């Protein structure tokens, strides 16, 4: 991967080396899923469920998102998702809400980095 | 299948990125089949069955969850034939325990670490392949053993027949006598009510016993065995001992004693000169004290002696022989046996025509 792109992604908390390893060095395949990430509706489903304080649906969305984020080695975003998923798993809407702003910020940062590499 | 040369891997996961990562990881070594939820996974398993080398199974999926699919496969016993790996983001201890209990080979956590998944999956697939190969090898060897056992049994039979025929040659009889006694005995047991309740393999063993009925004659001196005139009372007594000597001889051959035909052969050698009214020898058994199969051999022996040329007599016509037997000139036989014999007799004549023609 180009040096510049890799630095941009790393700055947004994405461990590009690790992600490439998971895709067996298949850069095209990794990029395909990285660039698809902004269009994925899981995050907006999560936001709607959080606004409705529906912990069940929010948990499902957060869980799915955590899986994708983990696969793409988005370390910062993953770190923000873990406490949210656990709060939702416990059905604790307040604790989940406390974690929301930091997650939203990390998500925005990730999306901005992805936009710059396209 | 294990010998098709190509390994097939089924990936069941509702997330495309998960399937893509696993497919990318294994596509150089396996033919990859993907299913996007448990239901599609079940359908793929029904299509490919045991052609699958392994199944990688996600847990949380719509329609049919990984655990529910696993429970179904476990009930069908598939988990022992195809290795299943649970690939999951986070499992509680209880889920993991149930999964192992249902027969998964391993639980692998997402996000996956490539070389860990590869190593774990490949070594289990190799193990299952080796197990199938060994199973096939054991089966092949068992077939071979069965074949060799059968060959040995046939060779043993050949030896018994050769020995019996050799003994008969001493008394100027052709080897056809034992063959015919065998054929007549088996024919009566297979085609008349006399053999009712006797399975075919037992009838074959009785046939073996019929072949050795006269082995005791080996102990009778040539002068008596081949005497052209009438035997003196002393000579006759000596001649009669061929029954006891025959049984004794058979009991002294360990291979014979362990043969499944032994108890038939022993009784036939000993009692094939007994008669229905107790007028036979050596034990003067009466009626069904002599087993039916030995009674049949006794009758076949008499009939064959009458219609064949012997050193002391010419061959008689079949009608004459039958009449002599019916009227008790060769001792008294079981009336039921006589009735069956009389019915079958016209067919028995064909054994002789073939023998002469040959």
């Amino acid at each position: 991967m180009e040096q510049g792109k890799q630095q941009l992604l790393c700055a947004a908390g994405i461990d590009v080396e690790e992600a490439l390893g998971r895709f067996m060095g298949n850069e095209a395949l990794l990029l395909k899923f990285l660039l698809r990430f902004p269009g994925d509706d899981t995050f907006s489903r999560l936001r709607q469920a959080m606004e409705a304080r529906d912990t069940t649906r929010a948990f499902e969305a957060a869980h799915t998102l955590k899986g994708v984020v983990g696969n793409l080695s988005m370390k910062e975003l993953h770190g923000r998702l873990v406490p949210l998923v656990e709060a939702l798993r416990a059905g604790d809407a307040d604790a989940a809400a406390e974690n929301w702003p930091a997650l939203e910020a990390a998500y925005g940062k990730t999306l901005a980095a992805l936009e710059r590499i396209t | 299948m294990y010998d098709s040369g190509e390994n097939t891997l089924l990936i069941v996961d509702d997330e495309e990125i998960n399937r893509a990562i696993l497919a990318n990881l294994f596509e150089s070594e396996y033919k990859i089949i993907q299913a996007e939820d448990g239901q599609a996974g079940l359908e793929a398993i029904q299509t490919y069955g045991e052609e699958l080398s392994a199944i990688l199974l996600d847990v949380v999926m719509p329609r049919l969850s990984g655990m529910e699919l696993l429970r179904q496969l476990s009930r069908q016993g598939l988990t022992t034939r195809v290795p299943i790996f649970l690939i999951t983001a986070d499992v509680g201890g209880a889920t993991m325990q149930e999964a192992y209990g249902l027969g998964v080979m391993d639980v692998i956590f997402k996000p996956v670490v490539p070389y860990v998944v590869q190593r774990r999956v490949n070594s289990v697939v190799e193990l299952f392949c080796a197990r199938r190969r060994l199973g096939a090898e054991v089966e092949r060897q068992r077939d071979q053993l069965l074949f060799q056992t059968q060959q040995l049994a046939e060779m043993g039979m050949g030896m018994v027949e050769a020995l019996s025929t050799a003994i008969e040659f001493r008394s100027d009889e052709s080897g056809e006598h034992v063959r015919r006694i065998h054929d007549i005995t088996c024919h009566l047991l297979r085609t008349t009510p006399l053999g009712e309740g006797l399975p075919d393999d037992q009838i074959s063993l009785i046939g073996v016993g019929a072949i050795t009925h006269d082995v005791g004659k080996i102990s009778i001196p040539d002068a008596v065995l081949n005497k052209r005139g009438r035997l003196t009372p002393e000579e006759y007594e000596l001649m009669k001992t061929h029954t006891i000597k025959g049984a004794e001889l058979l009991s002294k051959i360990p291979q014979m004693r362990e043969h499944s035909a032994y108890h038939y052969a022993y009784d036939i050698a000993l009692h094939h000169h007994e008669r229905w009214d107790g007028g036979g020898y050596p034990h003067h058994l009466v009626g069904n004290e002599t087993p039916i199969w030995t009674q049949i051999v006794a009758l076949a022996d008499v009939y064959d002696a009458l219609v064949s040329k012997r050193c002391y007599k010419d061959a008689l016509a079949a009608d004459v022989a039958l009449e002599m037997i019916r009227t008790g000139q060769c001792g008294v036989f079981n009336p039921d046996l006589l009735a069956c014999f009389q019915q079958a007799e016209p067919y028995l004549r064909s054994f002789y025509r073939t023998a002469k023609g040959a």
Side-chain angles (χ1 to χ4, degrees):
Chain A
M1 192 176 288
E2 285 168 39
Q3 200 81 43
K5 278 187 185 177
Q6 187 159 347
Q7 276 172 0
L8 266 172
L9 295 173
C10 286
I14 300 174
D15 186 338
V16 177
E17 288 294 329
E18 188 192 86
L20 263 178
R22 185 168 298 115
F23 284 84
M24 304 298 284
N26 188 339
E27 194 182 310
L29 193 61
L30 171 60
L31 275 174
K32 174 183 151 185
F33 282 102
L34 276 176
L35 298 179
R36 190 184 279 185
F37 186 71
D40 189 293
D41 71 342
T42 313
F43 189 81
S44 57
R45 279 194 286 123
L46 173 58
R47 188 205 303 275
Q48 280 166 24
M50 285 296 291
E51 280 165 1
R53 292 179 71 81
D54 182 342
T55 52
T56 307
R57 277 179 48 226
F59 171 74
E60 284 169 14
H63 185 267
T64 304
L65 190 62
K66 194 182 105 179
V68 177
V69 161
N71 275 327
L72 294 172
S73 294
M74 295 171 166
K75 294 294 185 185
E76 194 178 327
L77 196 48
H78 192 261
R80 301 294 182 198
L81 263 167
V82 172
L84 183 80
V85 168
E86 292 319 308
L88 290 169
R89 191 197 300 276
D92 188 342
D94 292 333
E98 267 175 46
N99 284 290
W100 180 253
L103 175 72
E104 200 168 26
Y107 181 71
K109 190 172 153 189
T110 306
L111 245 54
L114 289 174
E115 236 163 71
R116 289 184 63 186
I117 66 160
T118 49
Chain B
M1 246 175 287
Y2 63 94
D3 56 356
S4 71
E6 187 172 34
N7 288 322
T8 305
L9 187 70
L10 173 64
I11 299 169
V12 189
D13 199 313
D14 58 325
E15 280 294 324
E16 189 192 346
I17 187 169
N18 291 331
R19 294 198 304 271
I21 288 170
L22 292 171
N24 183 55
L25 202 56
F26 286 106
E27 68 189 2
S28 61
E29 297 161 275
Y30 297 84
K31 177 185 162 197
I32 307 285
I33 298 163
Q34 300 191 27
E36 58 208 15
D37 59 38
Q39 189 58 41
L42 185 62
E43 282 155 22
I45 290 163
Q46 278 159 357
T47 306
Y48 294 94
E50 286 169 43
E51 278 178 51
L52 297 171
S53 302
I55 300 169
L56 307 184
L57 185 61
D58 182 27
V59 177
V60 183
M61 288 183 290
R63 292 215 287 170
L64 185 66
S65 81
M67 288 305 287
E68 192 40 53
L69 175 59
L70 188 56
R71 284 184 202 112
Q72 290 193 23
L73 298 181
S74 182
R75 274 199 298 276
Q76 294 168 16
L78 193 91
T79 45
T80 57
R81 301 190 297 273
V82 179
I84 300 178
F85 296 83
L86 210 60
I87 311 271
T88 181
D90 42 16
V91 218
T95 310
M96 195 146 82
Q97 203 173 355
E98 192 196 348
Y100 277 122
L102 288 169
V104 297
M105 287 308 295
D106 216 338
V107 176
I108 294 169
F109 292 98
K110 283 189 288 200
V112 298
V113 181
Y115 73 91
V116 173
V117 193
Q118 271 180 328
R119 285 293 284 271
R120 289 201 194 165
V121 172
N122 285 341
S123 48
V124 170
V125 167
E126 271 167 37
L127 177 73
F128 271 65
C129 283
R131 201 190 275 173
R132 286 180 191 178
R133 267 200 308 275
L134 269 178
E137 177 63 13
V138 166
E139 206 163 291
R140 196 189 61 75
Q141 288 181 354
R142 196 195 53 202
D143 287 349
Q144 199 178 10
L145 270 177
L146 274 175
F147 175 69
Q148 286 170 347
T149 307
Q150 197 189 338
Q151 270 191 322
L152 269 177
E154 278 168 14
M155 196 167 130
M157 265 309 304
M159 295 300 287
V160 166
E161 216 175 316
L163 171 70
S164 306
T165 307
I167 291 166
E168 253 198 283
F169 269 120
R170 274 189 65 223
S171 46
D172 278 351
E173 287 170 26
S174 73
E176 281 152 16
H177 173 61
V178 283
R179 190 27 67 186
R180 281 194 304 261
I181 301 301
H182 167 274
D183 292 350
I184 293 171
T185 303
C186 290
H187 178 77
L188 289 174
L189 285 171
R190 288 202 170 103
T191 62
T192 74
L194 299 170
E196 223 160 76
L198 276 174
D200 203 63
D201 62 324
Q202 294 303 305
I203 293 178
S204 298
L205 293 176
I206 293 168
V208 176
I211 286 173
T212 56
H213 74 285
D214 261 347
V215 285
K217 283 191 175 166
I218 199 160
S219 69
I220 309 299
D222 279 344
V224 175
L225 194 63
N226 295 328
K227 186 174 175 184
R228 295 192 178 262
R230 206 177 171 77
L231 296 178
T232 66
E234 291 78 15
E235 285 166 342
Y236 187 47
E237 284 310 309
L238 186 63
M239 189 62 165
K240 279 154 97 178
T241 63
H242 83 274
T243 51
I244 291 167
K245 295 283 185 188
E248 217 176 88
L249 174 72
L250 291 173
S251 72
K252 279 183 181 155
I253 306 171
Q255 287 81 355
M256 195 63 213
R257 219 167 44 224
E258 281 154 27
H259 198 285
S260 33
Y262 174 68
H263 82 275
Y264 295 123
Y266 183 89
D267 191 82
I268 289 168
L270 190 56
H271 291 140
H272 70 280
H273 281 286
E274 299 289 354
R275 290 295 178 266
W276 187 249
D277 60 349
Y281 62 86
H283 295 139
H284 314 291
L285 300 182
V286 177
N288 281 326
E289 283 177 0
T290 306
I292 188 65
W293 58 79
T294 302
Q295 295 181 45
I296 295 174
V297 175
L299 180 52
D301 190 26
V302 165
Y303 177 78
D304 189 70
L306 290 174
V307 300
S308 307
K309 187 188 176 317
R310 292 284 167 92
C311 60
Y312 53 87
K313 62 170 269 297
D314 274 329
L316 298 174
D319 293 332
V320 179
L322 192 59
E323 188 56 20
M324 285 177 72
I325 290 169
R326 236 174 36 77
T327 52
Q329 294 180 53
C330 306
V332 182
F333 288 97
N334 178 346
D336 293 339
L337 169 60
L338 273 182
C340 290
F341 184 79
Q342 211 167 331
Q343 274 201 313
E345 197 271 337
Y347 180 81
L348 299 182
R349 295 183 191 187
S350 67
F351 295 166
Y352 295 85
R353 278 199 291 278
T354 349
K356 269 178 203 159

